């Protein structure tokens, strides 16, 4: 792959995400992924051999996604000669890199929770938070709402930004979109409850594997852009305390940067889940701290994209 064909869509897709985010009126491939998973789950998640059916579904959907994007990209370059084919290739790839990133929409949703909490009150903040987290929000305090937003922002900086960029860097658009399919599968069927414990087990484990490096990379980049020794110490001390093998690392980094405490008990689907605490300082989060966290997210994204571009230029 020509490095220019990698760098231009990367930059264009990032700028599109920065400008547009994820408008709800715009068709999105992740919604198609979700609808497809939902249909197959209703069809296959019954009877015997749920584990194997879930594994087969996961592998099949990943293969289809890879082959589709690989084939379209190659067809544009092979069968449309000259600059026209290259232009269509760059346009197609740029659009789907844009679809593969989610930083602006992530920050917009987090900011909306903070604004509703400040301007409309506790109930409005709880209601808006329920849009972006799986935990029950009806009994959360103001501080718990702000902490939940920061936990979500740190975790999804890895899942929604750095991991897609990482796989784009090593395998181009097909690898990036396969990652998005794996992540969508995990978010829909990767639960440890009676319905999905077998059917979604393979998808959940695969998601753990593909996020292993990106989660740790995200945490290190967060510490780097904020120049926080405490953040690095928290990564080493608390990163592996989370129930997830990956989520604890970016959360620990942000808790260290802000010198606050994440984790603790929360209610999911009527069941209290006791998560280990990340950090020691149980303090009140200030409304203005959202802007510091927003800066960290943007800075980490820019550093990651700049690093990929620099490496591509070196390898040219």
């Amino acid at each position: 792959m020509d490095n220019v064909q990698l760098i231009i869509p990367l930059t264009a897709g990032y700028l599109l995400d920065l400008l547009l985010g994820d408008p709800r009126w715009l068709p999105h491939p992740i919604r198609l992924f979700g609808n497809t998973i939902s249909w197959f789950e209703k069809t296959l998640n019954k009877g015997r051999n749920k584990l194997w059916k879930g594994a087969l579904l996961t592998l099949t959907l990943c293969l289809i996604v890879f082959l589709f994007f690989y084939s379209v990209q190659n067809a544009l370059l092979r069968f449309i000669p000259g600059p026209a084919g290259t232009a269509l290739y760059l346009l197609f790839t740029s659009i789907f890199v844009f679809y593969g990133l989610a930083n602006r929409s992530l920050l917009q949703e987090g900011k909306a929770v903070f604004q509703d909490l400040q301007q409309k009150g506790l109930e409005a903040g709880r209601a808006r938070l329920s849009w972006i987290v799986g935990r029950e929000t009806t009994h959360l305090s103001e501080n718990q709402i702000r902490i939940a937003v920061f936990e979500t922002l740190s975790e999804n900086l890895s899942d929604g930004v750095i991991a897609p960029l990482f796989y784009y860097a090593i395998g181009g658009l097909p690898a990036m979109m396969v990652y998005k399919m794996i992540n969508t599968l995990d978010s829909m069927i990767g639960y440890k409850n009676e319905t999905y414990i077998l059917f979604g087990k393979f998808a959940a484990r695969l998601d753990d594997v593909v996020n292993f490096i990106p989660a740790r990379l995200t945490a290190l980049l967060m510490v780097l852009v904020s120049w926080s020794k405490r953040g690095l110490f928290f990564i080493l001390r608390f990163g592996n305390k989370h129930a997830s093998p990956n989520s604890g690392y970016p959360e620990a980094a942000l808790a260290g940067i802000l010198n606050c405490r994440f984790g603790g008990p929360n209610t999911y689907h009527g069941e209290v889940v006791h998560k280990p605490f990340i950090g020691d300082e149980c303090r009140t989060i200030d409304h203005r701290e959202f802007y510091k966290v927003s800066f960290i997210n943007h800075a980490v994204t820019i550093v990651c994209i700049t690093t990929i571009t620099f490496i591509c230029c070196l390898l040219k």
Side-chain angles (χ1 to χ4, degrees):
M1 181 187 297
D2 189 326
N3 286 336
V4 173
Q5 294 173 354
L6 192 77
I7 293 170
I8 291 177
L10 173 65
T11 305
Y14 164 68
L15 291 175
L16 283 172
D17 177 68
L18 193 64
L19 292 171
L20 300 178
D22 182 17
R24 288 184 172 83
W25 54 266
L26 193 66
H28 202 294
I30 305 307
R31 297 192 191 106
L32 175 61
F33 288 2
N35 291 336
T36 304
I37 294 165
S38 179
W39 188 88
F40 278 108
E41 186 274 330
K42 291 174 183 176
T43 304
L44 298 175
N45 190 16
K46 60 181 69 172
R48 302 173 62 183
N49 300 317
K50 289 183 179 181
L51 176 62
W52 296 109
K53 287 190 285 188
L56 180 61
L57 173 64
T58 299
L59 293 173
T60 301
L61 291 179
C62 289
L63 180 61
I64 290 171
V65 168
F66 180 87
L67 291 175
F68 172 79
F69 286 98
Y70 180 84
S71 300
V72 171
Q73 285 187 311
N74 277 273
L76 291 173
L77 293 176
R78 286 188 63 185
F79 300 116
I80 303 178
T86 301
L88 286 174
Y89 173 95
L90 293 175
L91 177 63
F92 175 82
T93 307
S94 298
I95 289 171
F96 280 95
V97 169
F98 156 64
Y99 281 134
L101 299 176
N103 202 38
R104 171 158 180 168
S105 59
L106 174 64
L107 290 171
Q108 282 179 326
E109 292 299 330
K111 185 178 181 180
V113 176
F114 268 62
Q115 288 180 333
D116 281 4
L117 185 61
Q118 184 182 49
Q119 298 171 8
K120 300 178 183 179
L122 182 58
E123 290 302 321
R126 288 168 173 168
R128 192 60 186 244
L129 178 65
S130 68
W131 292 19
I132 61 173
V133 299
R135 72 192 69 179
E136 293 180 13
T137 64
T138 52
H139 300 294
L140 297 183
S141 67
E142 287 191 16
N143 204 50
Q144 288 173 319
I145 290 172
R146 293 191 175 103
I147 286 173
V149 171
F150 285 169
E151 289 175 346
T152 299
L153 289 181
S154 60
E155 180 180 350
N156 284 284
L157 176 59
S158 176
D159 293 354
V161 184
I162 303 306
L165 289 174
F166 176 81
Y167 285 102
Y168 180 80
I170 64 176
L173 182 64
M176 183 188 213
M177 298 313 292
V178 167
Y179 170 79
K180 297 298 290 187
M181 173 57 82
I182 293 169
N183 195 240
T184 307
L185 281 158
D186 179 65
S187 68
M188 294 187 66
I189 64 173
Y191 297 103
K192 296 179 180 178
N193 57 29
E194 184 177 351
T195 303
Y196 297 115
I197 187 64
L198 291 177
F199 188 74
K201 187 173 184 178
F202 184 86
R205 293 293 180 269
L206 184 59
D207 186 75
D208 289 342
V209 171
V210 297
N211 279 300
F212 186 87
I213 294 175
R216 288 150 182 81
L217 177 61
T218 302
L220 291 175
L221 289 173
M222 292 169 75
V223 169
L224 176 65
V225 301
S226 59
W227 209 245
S228 172
K229 293 181 180 179
R230 184 173 55 240
L232 181 60
F233 174 70
F234 271 41
I235 292 171
L236 297 174
R237 181 181 173 192
F238 297 108
N240 63 352
K241 302 298 183 184
H242 201 283
S244 162
N246 300 314
S247 299
Y249 287 88
E251 287 188 21
L254 187 58
I257 293 165
L258 299 177
N259 193 25
C260 64
R261 190 173 75 176
F262 293 162
N266 275 291
T267 303
Y268 293 83
H269 309 293
E271 180 181 349
V272 177
V273 177
H274 293 274
K275 295 183 178 180
F277 286 108
I278 297 176
D280 301 311
E281 187 71 20
C282 184
R283 67 172 183 85
T284 301
I285 302 295
D286 186 85
H287 176 82
R288 292 167 294 184
E289 290 182 81
F290 178 83
Y291 298 100
K292 181 176 183 178
V293 175
S294 179
F295 167 80
I296 291 169
N297 277 43
H298 282 301
V300 165
T301 304
I302 291 171
V303 168
C304 186
I305 290 173
T306 303
T307 303
I308 293 170
T309 303
F310 179 72
I311 292 172
C312 286
C313 291
L314 284 180
L315 296 176
K316 186 174 181 180

